[in-house]
Amino acid sequence: METPLRSMIKFCTDRKTNTDISLLYSNRNEDEIPFYDDLMQMQRANPQLLVG
C-alpha cells in the first residue's frame, strides 16, 4: 500500500501541483516507517506535504 501512496506524493512533488497532502503514519519508531527518508526529502521540497 505504501508504494502507490509514495508514487502519488512523488508525482505531486515533482510536478509542483497545488495539492495539499497529509500522510499520517502510526508506528512505534520512525525507523519502521516505509520510505521515511524519501518522504522527509519530499516534505522539505513540497510545502503542501505534511508527513506526521
Side-chain angles (χ1 to χ4, degrees), residues 25-43:
Y25 266 106
S26 177
N27 293 78
R28 292 180 190 227
N29 303 307
E30 285 182 355
D31 60 333
E32 294 176 356
I33 299 174
F35 306 111
Y36 179 78
D37 293 334
D38 289 342
L39 291 168
M40 292 299 104
Q41 182 178 358
M42 286 187 274
Q43 183 174 246

Side-chain angles (χ1 to χ4, degrees), residues 4-21:
L5 293 174
R6 182 194 168 277
S7 296
M8 288 186 280
I9 293 169
K10 183 166 175 24
F11 175 85
C12 291
T13 300
D14 290 348
R15 303 286 176 143
K16 299 184 185 333
T17 64
N18 189 22
T19 306
D20 291 329
I21 305 167

